[in-house]
Amino acid sequence: FESGALPAGFTLDPNTASRDELLRLPGVGETLADRIIEGRPYRRLTDLLEVDGIGPVTYRRLKPLLELSPAAD
């Protein structure tokens, strides 16, 4: 893990993570972080595949670091 990376076992919710938190994900730069934020809300993690710049390889790398919180009723 590079410096600033997420601690082991820590996950982010792509619907609520701040831009700075998203930038700590591997392969996520400023442009991609902005696209993730613009694409909210996500109902399933696979919805991230709709974000320009997230393909299958990037998705597989990010998936273990992401977790959606249950939708608030």
Side-chain angles (χ1 to χ4, degrees), residues 6 9-17 22 25 42-45 48 59 62-70:
L6 296 169
F10 185 82
T11 59
L12 287 179
D13 182 337
N15 284 324
T16 59
L22 293 170
L25 293 169
Y42 302 101
R43 289 188 179 84
R44 295 176 303 277
L45 286 179
L48 286 160
Y59 176 75
L62 296 178
K63 187 174 183 246
L65 305 172
L66 300 174
E67 185 172 11
L68 290 175
S69 298

Side-chain angles (χ1 to χ4, degrees), residues 8-72:
F10 185 82
T11 59
L12 287 179
D13 182 337
N15 284 324
T16 59
S18 71
R19 188 172 186 268
D20 285 342
E21 288 171 324
L22 293 170
L23 288 171
R24 296 173 73 185
L25 293 169
V28 175
E30 295 186 14
T31 301
L32 191 50
D34 289 340
R35 288 179 186 154
I36 291 170
I37 290 168
E38 289 166 13
R40 292 173 176 170
Y42 302 101
R43 289 188 179 84
R44 295 176 303 277
L45 286 179
T46 52
D47 290 347
L48 286 160
L49 288 165
E50 303 293 320
V51 176
D52 189 28
I54 297 182
V57 173
T58 302
Y59 176 75
R60 279 195 299 272
R61 190 169 45 209
L62 296 178
K63 187 174 183 246
L65 305 172
L66 300 174
E67 185 172 11
L68 290 175
S69 298

